[in-house]
Amino acid sequence: MPKVVLITGCSSGIGLSLAVGLASDPEKNYKVYATLKTLNKKQRLLKSVTEFHRDTLDILQMDVTDRASIMSARDRVQEGRVDILVCNAGVGLMGPLEVQDSKVMKDVMEVNLFGTLQTLQAFLPDMKSRREGHILVTGSTGGLHGLPFNEVYCASKFAIEGLCESLAVLLQHFNIRVSIIECGPVNTDFMLNLQKTEIGDCALDALDSHTLSLYERFLLHCGTVFQNAAQDTEDIVKVYLDAIRSPEPAFRYFTSGTVPPLVKLKTTQPDGLEYIRAMGELIFPQDHEELQQ
Ligand code: NAD
């Protein structure tokens, strides 16, 4: 019997590649429900769908910020159960914290944190009663260490870590596994889809020039990192497949294989200062030398 998989955020990026990857399993081991915030964004997904996917892939509307839409998607799963739930939908936000609009900050939390919470609330009772299931969440190294100008995004992804780790402790009593797939930079629409605060002249006037110049340097750093180190969604799908196929899935997977050194610093140097210095040196090297003097 195929495993029933439901994935959030499949209009692009990791969600889309994972949905198509699982639905293309030659043995047809998976029935995939690829869910999208709005169905008018299904064109890209449809382009990847072939006759092969007729009985392995269905597309459903599901906005993770709308409880009614989550329940309606859940109720449209023909098999009446979800074996593997992938909470992948997410949005980013970058920029100096003091100019961010509170609505935009709340929107990020609504999708990344409350969207994941609400999705879990909808599917947990059935998994618990069947004493079976695997929950996978697209995490971020930005959920493990802080990044300047990403305060709100990191806060949302740090929250996901606490949520998943807490749940995992409880759910082992229900034979339900929880896995976080920790991604570094990935080539997707993520940067294009960043939430935006319209930073008008007023806000910029209020912002000190030092912060502004550090932000410009951060953006350059970010561009270089994405150019040199971003993974393709296929690399992320492979890690997802490892986790999904494993009889004993781990709680945490790093998509680049090893624990990034900056994440290690958090556990080996618990006072936290070494990490802050190292990240500062990485992003703002000259300033770091000045700070050390
Ligand atoms: P993406 O922008 O291509 O995909 C994000 C998906 O989330 C889109 O399909 C979008 O429509 C969906 N989404 C947004 N709001 C939604 C809502 N309210 N309801 C349902 N779906 C919604 O970017 P991606 O890189 O594929 O992002 C997927 C996940 O990967 C996110 O959780 C993101 O935080 C995480 N991630 C991405 C990167 C990266 O560099 N791309 C790095 C680390 C983690």
Side-chain angles (χ1 to χ4, degrees), residues 146-157:
L147 292 164
F149 302 112
N150 278 270
E151 292 80 5
V152 181
Y153 177 70
C154 286
S156 74
K157 289 292 188 182

Side-chain angles (χ1 to χ4, degrees), residues 33-237:
Y33 288 88
T35 73
L36 284 72
K37 179 182 173 185
T38 54
L39 288 181
N40 59 17
K41 285 209 172 160
K42 69 179 173 191
Q43 282 321 109
R44 206 187 298 183
L45 177 59
L46 282 181
K47 274 192 192 149
S48 309
V49 173
T50 65
E51 186 57 25
F52 178 88
H53 302 113
R54 181 196 281 269
D55 50 357
T56 61
L57 189 128
D58 260 357
I59 298 175
L60 296 177
Q61 188 273 333
M62 178 169 152
D63 179 344
V64 298
T65 66
D66 176 355
R67 193 172 157 72
S69 142
I70 298 173
M71 297 319 246
S72 147
R74 186 195 65 180
D75 294 345
R76 291 177 64 192
V77 171
Q78 288 159 19
E79 294 76 3
R81 66 171 207 287
V82 167
D83 302 305
I84 299 169
L85 174 66
V86 181
C87 297
N88 165 73
V91 288
L93 177 66
M94 275 196 328
L97 182 62
E98 53 273 49
V99 300
Q100 299 299 352
D101 185 85
S102 64
K103 157 121 184 29
V104 176
M105 293 192 286
K106 282 180 186 156
D107 287 348
V108 173
M109 288 296 180
E110 281 297 331
V111 178
N112 294 4
L113 176 57
F114 291 104
T116 306
L117 283 166
Q118 292 198 120
T119 304
L120 290 167
Q121 283 181 319
F123 290 93
L124 263 183
D126 177 60
M127 282 187 173
K128 276 180 156 180
S129 71
R130 290 187 298 108
R131 295 245 174 327
E132 199 174 10
H134 192 178
I135 294 164
L136 298 104
V137 178
T138 308
S140 168
T141 48
L144 296 168
H145 57 65
L147 292 164
F149 302 112
N150 278 270
E151 292 80 5
V152 181
Y153 177 70
C154 286
S156 74
K157 289 292 188 182
F158 267 63
I160 288 295
E161 295 287 324
L163 158 63
C164 291
E165 202 165 271
S166 306
L167 257 187
V169 176
L170 175 72
L171 293 182
Q172 58 187 337
H173 294 276
F174 293 86
N175 190 34
I176 300 171
R177 304 301 180 142
V178 181
S179 302
I180 308 196
I181 312 301
E182 310 284 12
C183 305
V186 189
N187 285 317
T188 66
D189 285 355
F190 186 71
M191 297 300 270
L192 291 175
N193 290 338
L194 286 178
Q195 301 299 288
K196 283 189 187 69
T197 292
E198 294 308 331
I199 304 179
D201 291 344
C202 247
L204 281 183
D205 284 349
L207 192 67
D208 66 283
S209 58
H210 193 184
T211 304
L212 205 53
S213 83
L214 288 170
Y215 183 43
E216 282 160 5
R217 286 166 61 191
F218 170 76
L219 290 177
L220 286 177
H221 166 82
C222 226
T224 313
V225 167
F226 265 84
Q227 206 169 7
N228 296 339
Q231 292 183 284
D232 289 328
T233 55
E234 286 70 26
D235 301 323
I236 312 303
V237 170

